Amino acid sequence: MSQDAKFLLSLYRTMLLIRQFEERVKFLFLEGSMPGTIHQYQGQEAVATGVCAALNAGDVITSTHRPHGHAIARGVGVEPMMHELFGKVTGCCHGKGGSMHIGDLEKGMVPAIAIVGGNVPIATGIALAFKMRKEKRVAVSFMGDGAINEGAFHEAVNMGAIWSLPVVYVIENNLYSASTPIAQTVKLKHLSDRSAGYGIPGVTVDGNDVLAVFEAAKTAVARARAGEGPTLLECVTYRITGHSRRDPCHYQPEAERKQALLKEPIGRFAKHLMAAGIAGQTALDGIRREVDAEIEASVKSAMAAADPKPEDALNDVFA
Amino acid sequence: MSQDAKFLLSLYRTMLLIRQFEERVKFLFLEGSMPGTIHQYQGQEAVATGVCAALNAGDVITSTHRPHGHAIARGVGVEPMMHELFGKVTGCCHGKGGSMHIGDLEKGMVPAIAIVGGNVPIATGIALAFKMRKEKRVAVSFMGDGAINEGAFHEAVNMGAIWSLPVVYVIENNLYSASTPIAQTVKLKHLSDRSAGYGIPGVTVDGNDVLAVFEAAKTAVARARAGEGPTLLECVTYRITGHSRRDPCHYQPEAERKQALLKEPIGRFAKHLMAAGIAGQTALDGIRREVDAEIEASVKSAMAAADPKPEDALNDVFA
Amino acid sequence: MERKTIAEALRDGLREEMTRDERVFCIGEDIAIPGGWGGAFTVTLGLEKEFPERMINTPISEAGLFGAALGAAMMGMHPVADVQYGDFLLCAMDQIVDQIAKMRYMSGGRIKVPITMRAPVGATGRGAQHAQNLESIFFSVPGIKIVCPATAYDAKGLLKAAIRDENPVLIFEHKLLYGSKGARAESGAVDASSEIPEQDYIVPIGKGVVRREGTDVTVIGTLMMMHRALQAAEQLAGEGISVEVIDPRSLVPFDWELVEASVRKTGRAVVVEEGPRRGGVGAEIAAELAERVSDYLTAPVKRVASPDIPVPFSPPMEDFYRPDAARIVEAVRKIVS
Amino acid sequence: MERKTIAEALRDGLREEMTRDERVFCIGEDIAIPGGWGGAFTVTLGLEKEFPERMINTPISEAGLFGAALGAAMMGMHPVADVQYGDFLLCAMDQIVDQIAKMRYMSGGRIKVPITMRAPVGATGRGAQHAQNLESIFFSVPGIKIVCPATAYDAKGLLKAAIRDENPVLIFEHKLLYGSKGARAESGAVDASSEIPEQDYIVPIGKGVVRREGTDVTVIGTLMMMHRALQAAEQLAGEGISVEVIDPRSLVPFDWELVEASVRKTGRAVVVEEGPRRGGVGAEIAAELAERVSDYLTAPVKRVASPDIPVPFSPPMEDFYRPDAARIVEAVRKIVS
Ligand SMILES: Cc1ncc(C[n+]2csc(CCOP(=O)(O)OP(=O)(O)O)c2C)c(N)n1
Ligand SMILES: Cc1ncc(C[n+]2csc(CCOP(=O)(O)OP(=O)(O)O)c2C)c(N)n1
Ligand SMILES: [Mg+2]
Ligand SMILES: [Mg+2]
């Protein structure tokens, strides 16, 4: 297989891993075996996958209340993630974080921040450290369309801009912040237009087209790495599951949901792979079996893993 | 005298009242007879004067740590202001506010907010009330160039924009936030360019030209009053005194300061009035004597006025 | 009289106050979306149909929305501003603590600031940033009244009192007490529903209530801890220990009269709170009681609180974090022994 | 040994730590402007010449700058982030309380967050928004250490300890104790200068100090209140009352051992603080002492604090607000009588 084909299949695999992970988690959650609350990533897989494919090992991402996709794409690993969701001591945050704080800095992902907009200044600071130490590393901040109305976003992007920091601000515009449609929260055609207020480039891409996301991210990351400063990258996508928990999404028009399902990134990319002769249905089915097996193994091991001891709660406040 | 000439002379008088007030206060402060700290308005008089001249009686302004000019232009009155600066019980805030919180809501000015950016959401809320009650009133938020990097600014302006509120956001760009030059805090040619991020108009005017400010404000206020939403109005000016207290301004290049003095608004407007035959030197001198007398009277009465009783401190926490 | 949950009672309270007074309006995130949830815990569900112009659905901009509420309040409106989780109050901290709490004072008493603020608190399996009990932080801020309803009756009555108050009032509501239904139901929820009178009523701010009479020890707690205290009292009754349970309902102002009278009677007090112990509300109550009724205290006031740690996610650790009836029982046993 | 003010001692401390460790840098507003002031109180004056790349002068963006410090700290840097007035911490509240304080915990102890935060406190004639003592607010937040130096020696030693600590440390500094000079001098300032050793030293976080020995009553206070306590002790000595003055220096962790030992000796304690009384640090100290050394206390712990009001501007009211030596004297007289 060509390098190129391998790469494309790896994108497919990552997206599918995210989707299947989320579907399995949703089931576990609904059947009541998983604690906590969840915000899921179905429909947005191309964004995390495309952006993270443009990163190097030393780069670092920050994430949100909806972090599973970012974590998988960044390589945190399905097993430590699943353990964390189950609150097990073997989870990537030893059970202290949970779904909304999943991450692993050793893998290049800061524990996710569940305060909307709260992760953006942190990414700016990570990039500041890189620049001060003259390291050729890049920070990426993922955020939803709702986050761009938080003050923290504003302060952080402006700092990134004035100091020409190696950071990419990625807006995942899924058209809703929780239940509120985008038209009620900003008065812009493209959210990337907000870049004009900071004097940095803004780009809008089809966030359901993994290759378009990858290309745009590659450019933005290269700019950042070259010392040319941040980019505000908007990826337009759609959340094809509830905002959290058992949200029935009655606020999304039926027709809009239907349309979105037709445009969801995985089926679409599968078609592309097949049309381009890169993989047939059998190969794709094989990937799916692999992915499902990996997830299933993680569920098994997570269910079997030990709970933290109650008094473990007292540790880890201070170093 | 024509209506027009009267109006122009009133602008001149207001600017001079601000200037002389500030000079007198500076002296009182330096000689040690006035308590507290002060942030003064010398050099920026055209902004407050031009903007407030465009307002109606029912309109409301919010202000900053540098509020004396706004207060005078809005008609709070030199006497209650001077009393407040001296911390007298007869001050416009009964001595509880001081320089940084001067104001009088009955005159259309909210007590000034000394938290940079903090007044912007408040102005948005005032405008929201006007709109909800279908009153044809307008809110104006004055802010410095430094304030536009606060999260509160961002959140507030976006809200003003999406709800098309009757509010005007006025940036007084005096090229510095405290000691920090504007080039270190934003990466924009015009601060009004930030309006593009909110989908509202942005306008930049010469903030030392009181008529230019007045015209721009008139347009913005009319837009707001007509229900067409906010404007981001940048007035470029210069602070020809220290940031606060005894600041010697060593961070401002000598040449820049000299240039700024040549362009300061009052001398410039005096020349215009004389050239246009609206007033001669004698008339202007007369205004000056009037203004000085008003200020002097306020100093006298303030010095003679009663201090609050210490235990008055316990009142006014709750209604 | 009809039995209602806290979420329903608050919704009724909002509806009645908005009907009674045109100046009342709600401002918050996801509070007014047709087909939506009525805020994070269903409190405002459907109100957007009745009051389309007075349910202001905001972007995710907490500083902006609390500041806007302040501006509107100064113009004579009576906003009810809410956050989806109490933790997000921290994003609006400057507006609340520096502006809302101080505006009247800075004006020399010339301005009124009739704002009601609503914030859900309590650890509920969501991790450290959706869990905090922030009573101790706001408790020390002059200029804000604070109420903590533990029942639906009180929730409605205190909300209505808050809306009619001419000052900033912060209402802490507990996620596990709302009784939110359907997709927004909470696991681990406790029934806090009440019979609600047909007629208009308020619960005065600053007045506590004796939830259970007793003679051996006074246990003081609000919100979820009030319910845990009642459980503990029931259990202790079986052991022959008579516990008086007091629900102060308001933290600012605080009903010292009621609490003092009880402690003068029992001679012992245990203060329970869900937030961390250090600098908590319990510290203030304990320190004040030591000064106010020292002659009556037969033992130092005991505090039951969470440890000084962020809220952990995993259920066994979260259960360890949050005080429960067993810990109250233990503290009472110690103090009476 | 040379005598230095707090501002000078802090400046030396920053210089030494930045020289010692490349990871240390400063980030704040107006801290690195040639011809500027070195922050609001001259602490960083001139450091931008010595460390041009490690003095990060920011826009007015407190949430942004504290968040940036957090990001940099996670990457192994040791930022020293400051606000010009402690009040502005409220603008960065989410970053400090939700992110900085909790990041290590949420990661399950896998991340270190070596951040030093500096914030001037104290009422100084500037009105309600440039005056607050916010100790009580941050005191109840798990995950942040808090220190309060009252002398130049401690300021330098605690700053250096904070920078070397692998955890978030918040330093409250008092505007009237800095000894800032020239155009930035403060009226009403108190001399807090010390002889500073030539050699490197730190003051360990969590260790208090007895400032004056005594036998009748223990007075506990930090920052300006430590100086007022010493004044009061001097005056009371003339009346034959022997006061032991303890400066805890750190609020989190707190040196219980030292304070308990003193109170076991004197049998009486007065806790002084500049912030409002309700929910203050004094409440915690009083409540804990009541539990820890109840057998030794011959009277309930007394608290001296400001009233529960915003800080008024006018000098007579501000003087009334802030506890002074006279009020401490009065409290001590009462407790020993
Ligand atoms: C500061 C803050 N305010 C509110 C919330 C509650 N909340 C959680 S997710 C969410 C919507 C976020 O929308 P968006 O940024 O578009 O991300 P999405 O959920 O669409 O991925 C809200 C309001 C929060 N977590 N943090
Ligand atoms: C939130 C906040 N941060 C910092 C300060 C300290 N401070 C007071 S004025 C000022 C500079 C403000 O600059 P700008 O907005 O341009 O107004 P100007 O002083 O030039 O009128 C600063 C940093 C403050 N008052 N509030
Ligand atoms: Mg979204
Ligand atoms: Mg400026």
Side-chain angles (χ1 to χ4, degrees):
Chain A
M1 215 186 315
S2 74
Q3 274 312 101
D4 200 49
K6 266 193 191 153
F7 174 68
L8 296 180
L9 286 174
S10 79
L11 294 180
Y12 181 77
R13 189 183 192 285
T14 301
M15 291 203 290
L16 197 64
L17 186 59
I18 297 173
R19 174 72 55 88
Q20 298 301 91
F21 180 88
E22 291 293 51
E23 288 296 319
R24 190 69 181 92
V25 161
K26 187 171 194 164
F27 183 84
L28 288 163
F29 186 78
L30 290 178
E31 74 169 13
S33 50
M34 184 171 273
T37 189
I38 40 166
H39 300 80
Q40 301 204 293
Y41 204 67
Q42 291 96 320
Q44 305 183 200
E45 294 88 348
V47 181
T49 303
V51 169
C52 289
L55 299 180
N56 292 349
D59 299 337
V60 175
I61 69 168
T62 66
S63 171
T64 69
H65 59 285
R66 196 181 300 290
H68 303 174
H70 308 140
I72 289 178
R74 191 64 190 130
V76 169
V78 160
E79 185 158 351
M81 286 176 63
M82 193 65 85
H83 286 230
E84 188 62 29
L85 295 186
F86 274 104
K88 297 307 174 87
V89 71
T90 39
C92 53
C93 304
H94 302 334
K96 290 223 165 73
S99 164
M100 286 202 272
H101 305 302
I102 223 154
D104 183 345
L105 195 47
E106 284 168 33
K107 300 279 164 56
M109 177 180 180
V110 170
I113 303 295
I115 301 294
V116 169
N119 79 73
V120 195
I122 298 172
T124 294
I126 291 170
L128 176 63
F130 293 162
K131 178 162 182 166
M132 290 179 76
R133 296 194 302 230
K134 302 193 173 54
E135 295 169 351
K136 292 263 167 253
R137 297 162 70 186
V138 173
V140 171
S141 171
F142 286 100
M143 69 195 85
D145 47 286
I148 69 168
N149 300 318
E150 280 286 356
F153 161 87
H154 176 69
E155 299 186 9
V157 174
N158 185 55
M159 285 181 165
I162 57 174
W163 297 331
S164 277
L165 297 182
V167 53
V168 182
Y169 302 108
V170 179
I171 307 173
E172 304 194 46
N173 181 2
N174 61 10
L175 314 191
Y176 290 86
S177 52
S179 70
T180 302
I182 187 79
Q184 286 196 26
T185 59
V186 289
K187 205 177 152 184
L188 296 172
K189 191 144 175 263
H190 298 300
L191 303 187
S192 59
D193 292 348
R194 203 154 264 184
S195 63
Y198 309 106
I200 59 170
V203 178
T204 295
V205 291
D206 178 349
N208 285 353
D209 177 344
V210 69
L211 295 179
V213 173
F214 171 68
E215 287 305 328
K218 215 166 67 174
T219 307
V221 168
R223 255 193 110 247
R225 212 180 299 283
E228 291 160 29
T231 302
L232 189 62
L233 172 57
E234 176 192 14
C235 304
V236 182
T237 178
Y238 200 83
R239 157 167 66 69
I240 59 174
T241 185
H243 168 67
S244 72
R245 301 196 287 171
R246 291 166 293 271
D247 174 19
C249 297
H250 290 322
Y251 49 85
Q252 293 178 337
E254 194 61 31
E256 180 186 281
R257 291 188 66 76
K258 279 218 180 100
Q259 265 304 102
L261 281 173
L262 297 178
K263 291 193 264 176
E264 68 79 29
I266 298 182
R268 189 167 148 184
F269 193 53
K271 268 189 214 129
H272 169 82
L273 291 175
M274 293 197 280
I278 290 162
Q281 189 63 54
T282 333
L284 297 187
D285 286 350
I287 294 179
R288 176 167 179 152
R289 274 191 305 273
E290 257 177 63
V291 157
D292 283 346
E294 184 178 347
I295 293 165
E296 223 32 58
S298 79
V299 173
K300 247 208 192 109
S301 77
M303 284 183 152
D307 275 334
K309 289 195 294 283
E311 61 276 20
D312 284 352
L314 300 174
N315 306 329
D316 301 329
V317 180
F318 290 118
Chain B
M1 212 182 323
S2 72
Q3 274 311 104
D4 200 47
K6 265 194 192 153
F7 174 68
L8 296 179
L9 286 174
S10 78
L11 294 181
Y12 181 78
R13 188 183 194 284
T14 301
M15 291 203 290
L16 197 65
L17 185 59
I18 297 173
R19 174 71 53 88
Q20 298 301 92
F21 180 88
E22 290 293 51
E23 289 297 320
R24 189 70 181 93
V25 161
K26 187 171 192 162
F27 182 85
L28 289 162
F29 186 79
L30 290 179
E31 75 169 14
S33 51
M34 185 172 272
T37 189
I38 39 166
H39 300 80
Q40 300 203 293
Y41 204 67
Q42 291 95 322
Q44 306 183 198
E45 294 88 349
V47 182
T49 304
V51 170
C52 289
L55 299 180
N56 291 351
D59 299 338
V60 176
I61 68 168
T62 67
S63 172
T64 70
H65 58 286
R66 197 179 301 290
H68 303 175
H70 308 140
I72 290 178
R74 191 65 191 127
V76 169
V78 158
E79 184 159 352
M81 287 176 64
M82 193 64 85
H83 285 231
E84 188 63 29
L85 296 186
F86 274 103
K88 297 307 174 87
V89 72
T90 39
C92 54
C93 304
H94 302 334
K96 289 223 165 72
S99 165
M100 287 202 272
H101 306 302
I102 223 153
D104 183 345
L105 195 47
E106 283 167 33
K107 300 280 163 57
M109 177 180 181
V110 170
I113 302 295
I115 301 293
V116 169
N119 78 72
V120 196
I122 298 171
T124 295
I126 291 171
L128 175 63
F130 293 162
K131 178 162 181 165
M132 288 179 79
R133 294 194 302 230
K134 302 194 173 56
E135 294 170 352
K136 291 263 166 252
R137 298 163 69 186
V138 172
V140 170
S141 171
F142 286 101
M143 69 194 85
D145 47 287
I148 69 167
N149 300 316
E150 281 286 356
F153 161 86
H154 176 70
E155 299 186 8
V157 175
N158 186 58
M159 285 180 167
I162 58 173
W163 297 331
S164 279
L165 297 183
V167 53
V168 181
Y169 301 108
V170 178
I171 307 174
E172 303 195 47
N173 181 3
N174 61 9
L175 313 189
Y176 290 85
S177 52
S179 69
T180 302
I182 186 80
Q184 287 196 26
T185 58
V186 288
K187 205 177 152 184
L188 295 172
K189 192 147 173 261
H190 297 300
L191 303 186
S192 59
D193 291 349
R194 203 154 264 183
S195 62
Y198 308 107
I200 59 170
V203 178
T204 294
V205 292
D206 179 348
N208 286 354
D209 177 345
V210 67
L211 294 179
V213 173
F214 171 68
E215 287 303 328
K218 214 167 65 173
T219 307
V221 168
R223 256 195 108 244
R225 212 180 298 281
E228 290 160 29
T231 302
L232 189 61
L233 172 58
E234 177 192 14
C235 304
V236 183
T237 180
Y238 200 82
R239 156 168 64 70
I240 59 174
T241 185
H243 167 66
S244 72
R245 298 196 287 170
R246 292 166 291 272
D247 175 18
C249 298
H250 291 320
Y251 49 86
Q252 292 179 337
E254 195 61 33
E256 180 185 281
R257 289 188 67 75
K258 279 217 181 102
Q259 266 304 103
L261 280 174
L262 297 179
K263 290 192 265 175
E264 68 78 31
I266 297 180
R268 190 167 147 185
F269 193 52
K271 268 188 215 131
H272 169 81
L273 291 175
M274 292 196 280
I278 290 162
Q281 189 63 54
T282 334
L284 297 186
D285 287 348
I287 294 179
R288 178 169 178 148
R289 273 191 306 272
E290 252 177 67
V291 156
D292 284 345
E294 183 176 348
I295 293 165
E296 223 31 59
S298 78
V299 173
K300 245 204 195 118
S301 78
M303 285 183 151
D307 275 335
K309 289 194 296 282
E311 61 276 19
D312 283 352
L314 299 175
N315 307 331
D316 300 329
V317 180
F318 290 117
Chain C
M1 301 245 276
E2 209 182 326
R3 197 147 196 100
K4 305 246 181 180
T5 64
I6 287 188
E8 290 161 349
L10 289 170
R11 193 182 308 136
D12 288 351
L14 288 172
R15 180 186 298 110
E16 289 170 19
E17 292 304 302
M18 289 172 84
T19 304
R20 185 187 58 79
D21 185 344
E22 281 208 328
R23 300 171 303 175
V24 181
F25 73 98
C26 295
I27 182 165
E29 296 160 12
D30 297 295
I31 63 167
I33 300 293
W37 321 307
F41 296 94
T42 71
V43 170
T44 61
L45 198 64
L47 292 178
E48 77 280 357
K49 280 181 221 133
E50 296 169 63
F51 308 98
E53 289 178 357
R54 284 191 280 154
M55 296 297 295
I56 308 291
N57 198 86
T58 73
I60 313 182
S61 307
E62 287 80 10
L65 86 86
F66 278 81
L70 171 55
M74 281 192 284
M75 293 303 109
M77 301 294 282
H78 283 229
V80 181
D82 82 300
V83 283
Q84 301 192 336
Y85 289 79
D87 314 69
F88 314 154
L89 290 172
L90 300 173
C91 296
M93 200 68 181
D94 172 64
Q95 286 297 325
I96 298 170
V97 175
D98 278 334
Q99 319 303 339
I100 290 173
K102 296 180 174 48
M103 182 58 82
R104 176 176 175 76
Y105 192 79
M106 296 189 307
S107 79
R110 298 182 60 199
I111 292 180
K112 285 182 184 159
V113 182
I115 298 186
T116 302
M117 300 176 275
R118 297 184 37 241
V121 297
T124 54
R126 289 170 169 94
Q129 296 180 337
H130 285 66
Q132 292 164 88
N133 282 73
L134 296 168
E135 294 93 311
S136 61
I137 287 190
F138 290 93
F139 186 57
S140 65
V141 175
I144 305 175
K145 300 185 182 181
I146 304 178
V147 301
C148 296
T151 69
Y153 180 91
D154 283 355
K156 183 174 177 185
L158 287 168
L159 172 70
K160 287 166 71 103
I163 291 174
R164 296 179 196 181
D165 200 294
E166 298 280 12
N167 298 291
V169 181
L170 175 55
I171 309 184
F172 286 118
E173 304 163 2
H174 201 289
K175 289 159 218 159
L176 296 180
L177 299 181
Y178 276 123
S180 312
K181 291 174 181 162
R184 310 300 296 178
E186 288 289 312
S187 77
V190 163
D191 182 10
S193 62
S194 314
E195 301 292 324
I196 305 284
E198 299 292 320
Q199 64 277 23
D200 183 50
Y201 72 96
I202 65 155
V203 171
I205 295 174
K207 286 274 162 245
V209 63
V210 177
R211 294 283 182 201
R212 178 188 175 116
E213 295 200 6
T215 52
D216 294 333
V217 54
T218 304
V219 176
I220 301 153
T222 59
L223 294 168
M224 177 59 91
M225 291 303 112
M226 193 289 286
H227 294 270
R228 297 298 178 227
L230 284 178
Q231 278 182 282
E234 187 60 34
Q235 187 181 330
L236 287 158
E239 303 178 14
I241 301 174
S242 167
V243 175
E244 178 141 310
V245 176
I246 289 196
D247 177 356
R249 298 197 288 201
S250 297
L251 298 179
V252 180
F254 192 82
D255 193 344
W256 286 113
E257 208 179 319
L258 183 77
V259 172
E260 282 179 44
S262 174
V263 176
R264 272 197 295 264
K265 178 176 71 174
T266 61
R268 301 182 188 89
V270 173
V271 195
V272 194
E273 74 188 302
E274 187 172 333
R277 176 182 171 101
R278 187 178 59 233
V281 171
E284 176 70 20
I285 298 176
E288 275 294 301
L289 285 177
E291 287 201 59
R292 286 169 183 253
V293 290
S294 63
D295 293 346
Y296 297 87
L297 285 177
T298 58
V301 178
K302 265 207 168 319
R303 290 189 278 158
V304 175
S306 296
D308 295 319
I309 59 175
V311 182
F313 162 66
S314 187
M317 293 194 287
E318 196 190 71
D319 289 341
F320 173 84
Y321 169 84
R322 209 196 289 99
D324 55 12
R327 279 171 61 194
I328 301 171
V329 165
E330 198 188 320
V332 170
R333 280 196 199 124
K334 270 198 193 138
I335 207 174
V336 297
S337 75
Chain D
M1 300 247 276
E2 209 181 326
R3 195 145 197 100
K4 305 244 181 181
T5 63
I6 287 187
E8 290 162 348
L10 288 170
R11 194 182 307 134
D12 289 351
L14 287 172
R15 180 187 297 108
E16 289 170 20
E17 291 304 300
M18 288 173 86
T19 305
R20 185 186 60 76
D21 185 344
E22 281 208 327
R23 298 171 304 175
V24 180
F25 74 99
C26 295
I27 182 164
E29 295 160 12
D30 297 294
I31 63 167
I33 300 293
W37 320 306
F41 296 94
T42 73
V43 170
T44 62
L45 198 65
L47 292 179
E48 76 281 356
K49 283 183 216 128
E50 297 170 62
F51 308 97
E53 289 178 355
R54 284 191 281 154
M55 295 298 295
I56 308 292
N57 198 87
T58 73
I60 313 181
S61 307
E62 288 80 12
L65 86 88
F66 279 81
L70 171 55
M74 280 193 283
M75 294 302 108
M77 301 295 282
H78 283 228
V80 181
D82 83 298
V83 283
Q84 302 192 336
Y85 290 77
D87 313 69
F88 313 154
L89 290 172
L90 300 173
C91 296
M93 200 68 181
D94 172 64
Q95 286 297 324
I96 298 171
V97 174
D98 278 334
Q99 319 302 340
I100 290 174
K102 296 179 174 50
M103 183 58 81
R104 175 176 175 75
Y105 192 79
M106 295 190 307
S107 79
R110 298 182 61 199
I111 292 180
K112 285 181 184 159
V113 183
I115 298 186
T116 302
M117 299 175 276
R118 297 183 38 239
V121 296
T124 55
R126 289 170 168 94
Q129 296 181 336
H130 286 66
Q132 292 164 89
N133 282 72
L134 297 167
E135 294 94 311
S136 61
I137 286 190
F138 289 94
F139 186 58
S140 65
V141 176
I144 305 176
K145 299 184 182 182
I146 304 177
V147 301
C148 296
T151 69
Y153 181 91
D154 283 356
K156 183 175 178 186
L158 286 168
L159 172 70
K160 287 167 71 103
I163 292 174
R164 296 178 196 182
D165 200 294
E166 298 279 12
N167 298 292
V169 182
L170 175 55
I171 309 185
F172 285 118
E173 304 163 2
H174 200 288
K175 287 159 220 160
L176 295 181
L177 299 180
Y178 276 122
S180 313
K181 290 173 182 163
R184 310 300 296 176
E186 287 290 312
S187 78
V190 164
D191 182 11
S193 64
S194 315
E195 300 293 323
I196 304 285
E198 299 293 320
Q199 63 278 18
D200 183 50
Y201 72 96
I202 65 155
V203 171
I205 296 173
K207 287 273 162 245
V209 64
V210 177
R211 293 281 180 202
R212 176 187 176 116
E213 296 200 4
T215 51
D216 294 334
V217 54
T218 303
V219 176
I220 302 153
T222 60
L223 295 167
M224 176 60 91
M225 291 303 112
M226 195 287 287
H227 294 270
R228 297 297 178 229
L230 285 177
Q231 278 182 281
E234 189 59 35
Q235 186 182 328
L236 287 159
E239 304 177 15
I241 301 174
S242 166
V243 175
E244 178 141 310
V245 175
I246 289 197
D247 178 357
R249 299 198 288 204
S250 297
L251 297 180
V252 180
F254 191 83
D255 194 344
W256 285 113
E257 212 178 317
L258 183 78
V259 173
E260 282 179 45
S262 174
V263 176
R264 271 195 296 263
K265 180 176 72 175
T266 61
R268 299 182 189 88
V270 174
V271 194
V272 194
E273 74 187 304
E274 187 172 333
R277 175 183 171 102
R278 187 179 59 232
V281 171
E284 176 70 20
I285 298 176
E288 275 293 302
L289 286 177
E291 285 201 60
R292 286 171 184 253
V293 291
S294 62
D295 293 347
Y296 296 86
L297 285 177
T298 58
V301 179
K302 266 208 168 318
R303 292 189 276 159
V304 175
S306 297
D308 295 319
I309 60 174
V311 182
F313 161 67
S314 187
M317 292 193 287
E318 198 192 69
D319 289 341
F320 174 85
Y321 170 82
R322 210 196 289 98
D324 55 11
R327 278 170 61 193
I328 301 171
V329 165
E330 194 188 322
V332 169
R333 279 194 201 129
K334 269 199 194 138
I335 206 173
V336 298
S337 73

